[in-house]
Amino acid sequence: MNELGLKMKGLYCHLAELNEDVKFVFQDKESVPSVYDHYVKLQVKVCAFSPLNIKLLMELKLQEDFLPIGREVAGVVLEVGPKVSFFKPNDEVVGILPLDCKESGLSNTLLVHEHSLVKKPENVSWVDAAGTICDGLRAYMALHTHTHVSAGTTVLVMEGANPFGTIVIQLAHHRGAKVISTASTVEDKMYLEGLRPTVARVVNLYDGKIDLVDSCLEETGGLGVNIVIDCGVQLYSKEDEPVAKQHLPHKHDILSLLSVGGHWVTTVENLQLDPPDSQFLFRKAATISFLNEEVWQLSNMHQGKYLHILKDVMEKLSCGTFRPQLDEPIPIYEASVAMEMVQKKQVKKKQVVRL
């Protein structure tokens, strides 16, 4: 029984009709049906939150009046279907629910396909497992699927003090890369300077006195950065950008600091490049990749590779390579407020709900 006293409750997102304003509400849900085929019945212990990509959901026509919230889950297998081969009852597992899942991760019990889950190491807590699985997947995509980080490469992680940036920094250090990061507040700068292994340089962007391009070229001896992982960029002049984006670098800054053969991994789905930008990339033989972790859920062509990444994320967590930046677990009755803050990007640490 959860803290609401209602066994079959879930958190859902209610989409407004004419805009992207969202409300997060608890709704009753139907009882979980019996297990079948490759599905397992999961008792959820912990659920972590990430912002909803509402535009993607609308483009894929997956949006409904009420969208289930909470896809990063960790829990115990209660029952297994007749075709399940990876798990047995009482296994401790963690995973990411598919985009078209009708169930909220804040439900006590879920039916989940076995190919969406991996085993949780015994020495990893429920909170750490659920709080790391998605950011770990994104970090692997950025540094291994889209690029090939290795010893001797230089990686620029924009806004490295956020949960995703922290995991990227730790994975890059594990592979022997030199890491540069940016900070938009004094607190972020202090956090990044306290990381071990140390970040080679923390570029302060919050007062406008330090130039990002000059700092990166100075740190790399004028050669430029091999890999850039952004968290948003300015596409237009500063006057035409909203206030929330004015601390971000301009796309021309990113292009200027890339090395020959460099890789820019972007989270900006509407990135626009003008012909001179493309010519600049061509002269450097550089590339741009789009970081969209949902691609694994949209095609099962690389299902084995996807599960291998999730397993490796858990192994890195188990051996201490990954040290996630998590907030204290919150009770379920505070979940709607927490998710609203996550959606508005008003929190610095990963939000995790303990059921």
Side-chain angles (χ1 to χ4, degrees), residues 10-11 26 42-50 68-75 93-97 103-108 110 125-134 326-332 335 338-339 342 350-355:
L11 184 67
F26 283 100
L42 181 69
Q43 180 184 16
V44 180
K45 296 290 187 180
V46 168
C47 176
F49 290 154
S50 293
I69 297 300
R71 294 172 51 210
E72 301 143 61
V73 297
V93 298
V94 59
I96 303 173
L97 302 180
E103 310 251 13
S104 164
L106 290 181
S107 307
N108 265 27
L110 299 170
S125 71
W126 298 113
V127 171
D128 284 355
T132 308
I133 191 71
C134 186
L326 308 176
D327 218 336
E328 289 295 319
I330 60 176
I332 193 170
M339 184 59 205
V342 169
K350 191 80 171 181
Q351 300 297 298
V352 180
V353 178
R354 193 194 303 275
L355 278 70

Side-chain angles (χ1 to χ4, degrees), residues 4 34 75 102 125 147 189 228 262 318 335 341 344 352:
L4 287 176
S34 301
K102 305 298 183 184
S125 71
T147 65
K189 184 172 185 290
V228 177
S318 176
M341 295 175 67
K344 293 178 178 178
V352 180

